[in-house]
Amino acid sequence: MEEGGQSTAVDTRARILDAAIALLDRGGRDAVTTRAVGVAAGVQAPTIYRLFGDKNALLDAAVMAGFMRFRDQQDRTPGDDPVDDLRRGWNFHVRFGLTHPHLYALMYGDPRVGRLSPAAAAAADVAAGHLRRIAEGGRLRVTERQALDLVHATGSGITLTLIAQPAERRDLGLSDLAREAIIAAVTTDGPAVAGAGPAAAAVHLRAALDHSSALSPNERGLLGDWLERIASTTDAAAE
């Protein structure tokens, strides 16, 4: 039945997203037809198009909603060690993929040239927050961008690999091995600044730059560019 009375556009949108997520979880992308979503949500096709534009936009919105709901169920309180928080974030990411494999496959398995899907971008923002805290503590040995790209590529690759494996032979130890290898590659056990050369110092200072009020926005931008160039040198890999 088409929405009416006291029902709002927000309620209708939520019903459509609920229906799309349920269909995705049960049958993957092919199960999400306009007709199936309309029947499950109790709306007509024109309402779906009016609120979402087209099927691809609906799928993007459904994957984003599914990811955010799963994320909000987790304890996201920062701990004392930002590297441990990165570990927790990695484990959450893999757990989301294995819990909602069809959503995850749309999130990462359908690459777009030049941009991430909205849900993948949201997940990258979470990882970037963990890496920023590590950099602020002087424990990042590469630039934040390099670290984020490594975490993103390896985490999504491992998760897609596990999804593709039959459940009875799925080796979750692969995720642990990959996680620790990446953490070893991008972080240090202690502050990386002392004795680590100018690149490591630049990584640390670049992370702290936004907290400084001594410079104008233009000056901070210019200094940030210089620090990014220094941090990108091979010295960043030195201990």
mmCIF file of all heavy atoms in Angstrom, residues 202-203 205-207 209-210 215-232:
data_model
loop_
_atom_site.group_PDB
_atom_site.id
_atom_site.type_symbol
_atom_site.label_atom_id
_atom_site.label_comp_id
_atom_site.label_asym_id
_atom_site.label_seq_id
_atom_site.Cartn_x
_atom_site.Cartn_y
_atom_site.Cartn_z
ATOM 1 N N ALA A 202 58.375 14.681 10.134
ATOM 2 C CA ALA A 202 57.378 15.387 9.322
ATOM 3 C C ALA A 202 56.013 14.737 9.440
ATOM 4 O O ALA A 202 54.986 15.417 9.481
ATOM 5 C CB ALA A 202 57.820 15.424 7.866
ATOM 6 N N VAL A 203 55.970 13.407 9.497
ATOM 7 C CA VAL A 203 54.700 12.698 9.676
ATOM 8 C C VAL A 203 54.031 13.132 10.972
ATOM 9 O O VAL A 203 52.842 13.437 11.025
ATOM 10 C CB VAL A 203 54.922 11.169 9.673
ATOM 11 C CG1 VAL A 203 53.650 10.444 10.093
ATOM 12 C CG2 VAL A 203 55.370 10.689 8.297
ATOM 13 N N LEU A 205 54.636 15.900 12.829
ATOM 14 C CA LEU A 205 54.264 17.314 12.839
ATOM 15 C C LEU A 205 53.060 17.568 11.936
ATOM 16 O O LEU A 205 52.177 18.364 12.269
ATOM 17 C CB LEU A 205 55.454 18.164 12.384
ATOM 18 C CG LEU A 205 55.233 19.691 12.376
ATOM 19 C CD1 LEU A 205 54.766 20.187 13.735
ATOM 20 C CD2 LEU A 205 56.513 20.401 11.964
ATOM 21 N N ARG A 206 52.994 16.872 10.795
ATOM 22 C CA ARG A 206 51.851 17.040 9.893
ATOM 23 C C ARG A 206 50.550 16.655 10.587
ATOM 24 O O ARG A 206 49.508 17.307 10.424
ATOM 25 C CB ARG A 206 52.050 16.189 8.634
ATOM 26 C CG ARG A 206 50.887 16.228 7.650
ATOM 27 C CD ARG A 206 50.779 17.596 7.041
ATOM 28 N NE ARG A 206 49.615 17.716 6.189
ATOM 29 C CZ ARG A 206 48.385 18.001 6.607
ATOM 30 N NH1 ARG A 206 48.152 18.199 7.896
ATOM 31 N NH2 ARG A 206 47.383 18.103 5.755
ATOM 32 N N ALA A 207 50.585 15.591 11.387
ATOM 33 C CA ALA A 207 49.387 15.145 12.087
ATOM 34 C C ALA A 207 48.935 16.147 13.136
ATOM 35 O O ALA A 207 47.738 16.288 13.402
ATOM 36 C CB ALA A 207 49.637 13.786 12.740
ATOM 37 N N LEU A 209 49.456 19.430 13.018
ATOM 38 C CA LEU A 209 49.378 20.785 12.469
ATOM 39 C C LEU A 209 48.000 21.415 12.648
ATOM 40 O O LEU A 209 47.883 22.620 12.907
ATOM 41 C CB LEU A 209 49.751 20.750 10.984
ATOM 42 C CG LEU A 209 50.031 22.102 10.303
ATOM 43 C CD1 LEU A 209 51.154 22.844 11.015
ATOM 44 C CD2 LEU A 209 50.390 21.872 8.836
ATOM 45 N N ASP A 210 46.951 20.618 12.521
ATOM 46 C CA ASP A 210 45.597 21.169 12.622
ATOM 47 C C ASP A 210 45.285 21.705 14.018
ATOM 48 O O ASP A 210 44.329 22.462 14.192
ATOM 49 C CB ASP A 210 44.561 20.103 12.251
ATOM 50 C CG ASP A 210 44.584 19.779 10.767
ATOM 51 O OD1 ASP A 210 45.114 20.597 9.987
ATOM 52 O OD2 ASP A 210 44.079 18.699 10.392
ATOM 53 N N LEU A 215 49.422 29.728 13.058
ATOM 54 C CA LEU A 215 49.524 30.035 11.639
ATOM 55 C C LEU A 215 48.145 30.324 11.066
ATOM 56 O O LEU A 215 47.128 29.850 11.565
ATOM 57 C CB LEU A 215 50.151 28.863 10.883
ATOM 58 C CG LEU A 215 51.539 28.399 11.336
ATOM 59 C CD1 LEU A 215 51.951 27.152 10.562
ATOM 60 C CD2 LEU A 215 52.565 29.509 11.133
ATOM 61 N N SER A 216 48.130 31.071 9.980
ATOM 62 C CA SER A 216 46.883 31.306 9.265
ATOM 63 C C SER A 216 46.517 30.043 8.489
ATOM 64 O O SER A 216 47.368 29.162 8.277
ATOM 65 C CB SER A 216 47.041 32.476 8.291
ATOM 66 O OG SER A 216 47.886 32.100 7.206
ATOM 67 N N PRO A 217 45.265 29.921 8.040
ATOM 68 C CA PRO A 217 44.893 28.743 7.242
ATOM 69 C C PRO A 217 45.784 28.556 6.022
ATOM 70 O O PRO A 217 46.167 27.426 5.694
ATOM 71 C CB PRO A 217 43.448 29.044 6.848
ATOM 72 C CG PRO A 217 42.926 29.906 7.962
ATOM 73 C CD PRO A 217 44.091 30.761 8.356
ATOM 74 N N ASN A 218 46.127 29.649 5.336
ATOM 75 C CA ASN A 218 46.997 29.528 4.166
ATOM 76 C C ASN A 218 48.392 29.054 4.548
ATOM 77 O O ASN A 218 49.008 28.245 3.838
ATOM 78 C CB ASN A 218 47.091 30.870 3.437
ATOM 79 C CG ASN A 218 45.817 31.214 2.687
ATOM 80 O OD1 ASN A 218 45.021 30.338 2.383
ATOM 81 N ND2 ASN A 218 45.630 32.492 2.390
ATOM 82 N N GLU A 219 48.895 29.571 5.669
ATOM 83 C CA GLU A 219 50.221 29.153 6.129
ATOM 84 C C GLU A 219 50.215 27.682 6.531
ATOM 85 O O GLU A 219 51.163 26.944 6.232
ATOM 86 C CB GLU A 219 50.670 30.036 7.292
ATOM 87 C CG GLU A 219 51.015 31.458 6.877
ATOM 88 C CD GLU A 219 51.212 32.391 8.069
ATOM 89 O OE1 GLU A 219 50.657 32.102 9.162
ATOM 90 O OE2 GLU A 219 51.915 33.396 7.912
ATOM 91 N N ARG A 220 49.158 27.253 7.217
ATOM 92 C CA ARG A 220 49.058 25.843 7.590
ATOM 93 C C ARG A 220 48.997 24.954 6.357
ATOM 94 O O ARG A 220 49.604 23.881 6.315
ATOM 95 C CB ARG A 220 47.831 25.597 8.472
ATOM 96 C CG ARG A 220 48.012 26.011 9.918
ATOM 97 C CD ARG A 220 47.018 25.301 10.840
ATOM 98 N NE ARG A 220 45.639 25.544 10.448
ATOM 99 C CZ ARG A 220 44.925 26.595 10.842
ATOM 100 N NH1 ARG A 220 45.477 27.504 11.632
ATOM 101 N NH2 ARG A 220 43.672 26.739 10.462
ATOM 102 N N GLY A 221 48.249 25.414 5.340
ATOM 103 C CA GLY A 221 48.161 24.637 4.110
ATOM 104 C C GLY A 221 49.502 24.496 3.427
ATOM 105 O O GLY A 221 49.870 23.417 2.948
ATOM 106 N N LEU A 222 50.257 25.602 3.363
ATOM 107 C CA LEU A 222 51.564 25.571 2.720
ATOM 108 C C LEU A 222 52.527 24.683 3.495
ATOM 109 O O LEU A 222 53.233 23.844 2.909
ATOM 110 C CB LEU A 222 52.123 26.991 2.606
ATOM 111 C CG LEU A 222 53.491 27.140 1.928
ATOM 112 C CD1 LEU A 222 53.446 26.593 0.507
ATOM 113 C CD2 LEU A 222 53.922 28.604 1.935
ATOM 114 N N LEU A 223 52.566 24.856 4.820
ATOM 115 C CA LEU A 223 53.454 24.032 5.629
ATOM 116 C C LEU A 223 53.048 22.561 5.539
ATOM 117 O O LEU A 223 53.919 21.675 5.479
ATOM 118 C CB LEU A 223 53.422 24.497 7.086
ATOM 119 C CG LEU A 223 54.316 23.723 8.070
ATOM 120 C CD1 LEU A 223 55.767 23.699 7.600
ATOM 121 C CD2 LEU A 223 54.201 24.313 9.475
ATOM 122 N N GLY A 224 51.740 22.323 5.499
ATOM 123 C CA GLY A 224 51.272 20.949 5.368
ATOM 124 C C GLY A 224 51.756 20.303 4.081
ATOM 125 O O GLY A 224 52.151 19.126 4.060
ATOM 126 N N ASP A 225 51.744 21.069 2.987
ATOM 127 C CA ASP A 225 52.238 20.547 1.716
ATOM 128 C C ASP A 225 53.723 20.207 1.808
ATOM 129 O O ASP A 225 54.182 19.169 1.306
ATOM 130 C CB ASP A 225 52.019 21.566 0.598
ATOM 131 C CG ASP A 225 50.556 21.691 0.203
ATOM 132 O OD1 ASP A 225 49.775 20.789 0.557
ATOM 133 O OD2 ASP A 225 50.203 22.707 -0.441
ATOM 134 N N TRP A 226 54.499 21.110 2.434
ATOM 135 C CA TRP A 226 55.933 20.852 2.572
ATOM 136 C C TRP A 226 56.188 19.598 3.421
ATOM 137 O O TRP A 226 57.036 18.774 3.083
ATOM 138 C CB TRP A 226 56.614 22.057 3.224
ATOM 139 C CG TRP A 226 56.689 23.261 2.335
ATOM 140 C CD1 TRP A 226 56.526 23.306 0.982
ATOM 141 C CD2 TRP A 226 56.932 24.602 2.750
ATOM 142 N NE1 TRP A 226 56.661 24.580 0.525
ATOM 143 C CE2 TRP A 226 56.918 25.411 1.578
ATOM 144 C CE3 TRP A 226 57.174 25.215 3.977
ATOM 145 C CZ2 TRP A 226 57.124 26.785 1.625
ATOM 146 C CZ3 TRP A 226 57.378 26.583 4.028
ATOM 147 C CH2 TRP A 226 57.346 27.360 2.853
ATOM 148 N N LEU A 227 55.462 19.488 4.524
ATOM 149 C CA LEU A 227 55.648 18.338 5.406
ATOM 150 C C LEU A 227 55.252 17.044 4.696
ATOM 151 O O LEU A 227 55.894 16.005 4.883
ATOM 152 C CB LEU A 227 54.826 18.515 6.687
ATOM 153 C CG LEU A 227 55.312 19.621 7.629
ATOM 154 C CD1 LEU A 227 54.296 19.853 8.748
ATOM 155 C CD2 LEU A 227 56.673 19.258 8.230
ATOM 156 N N GLU A 228 54.189 17.111 3.882
ATOM 157 C CA GLU A 228 53.764 15.922 3.137
ATOM 158 C C GLU A 228 54.863 15.477 2.182
ATOM 159 O O GLU A 228 55.127 14.275 2.036
ATOM 160 C CB GLU A 228 52.481 16.233 2.367
ATOM 161 C CG GLU A 228 51.843 15.032 1.700
ATOM 162 C CD GLU A 228 51.142 14.107 2.672
ATOM 163 O OE1 GLU A 228 50.842 14.547 3.804
ATOM 164 O OE2 GLU A 228 50.915 12.937 2.306
ATOM 165 N N ARG A 229 55.534 16.429 1.544
ATOM 166 C CA ARG A 229 56.621 16.080 0.628
ATOM 167 C C ARG A 229 57.792 15.456 1.380
ATOM 168 O O ARG A 229 58.394 14.478 0.920
ATOM 169 C CB ARG A 229 57.072 17.321 -0.134
ATOM 170 C CG ARG A 229 56.069 17.780 -1.189
ATOM 171 C CD ARG A 229 56.400 19.154 -1.722
ATOM 172 N NE ARG A 229 57.728 19.207 -2.310
ATOM 173 C CZ ARG A 229 58.308 20.354 -2.701
ATOM 174 N NH1 ARG A 229 57.664 21.510 -2.541
ATOM 175 N NH2 ARG A 229 59.509 20.333 -3.232
ATOM 176 N N ILE A 230 58.119 16.020 2.547
ATOM 177 C CA ILE A 230 59.218 15.450 3.343
ATOM 178 C C ILE A 230 58.855 14.060 3.832
ATOM 179 O O ILE A 230 59.655 13.128 3.774
ATOM 180 C CB ILE A 230 59.551 16.376 4.538
ATOM 181 C CG1 ILE A 230 60.069 17.719 4.045
ATOM 182 C CG2 ILE A 230 60.567 15.706 5.466
ATOM 183 C CD1 ILE A 230 60.211 18.764 5.155
ATOM 184 N N ALA A 231 57.600 13.911 4.305
ATOM 185 C CA ALA A 231 57.161 12.624 4.848
ATOM 186 C C ALA A 231 57.103 11.533 3.795
ATOM 187 O O ALA A 231 57.196 10.345 4.122
ATOM 188 C CB ALA A 231 55.790 12.800 5.495
ATOM 189 N N SER A 232 56.969 11.935 2.533
ATOM 190 C CA SER A 232 56.850 10.943 1.465
ATOM 191 C C SER A 232 58.193 10.412 0.994
ATOM 192 O O SER A 232 58.231 9.500 0.149
ATOM 193 C CB SER A 232 56.123 11.564 0.258
ATOM 194 O OG SER A 232 54.808 11.926 0.603
#
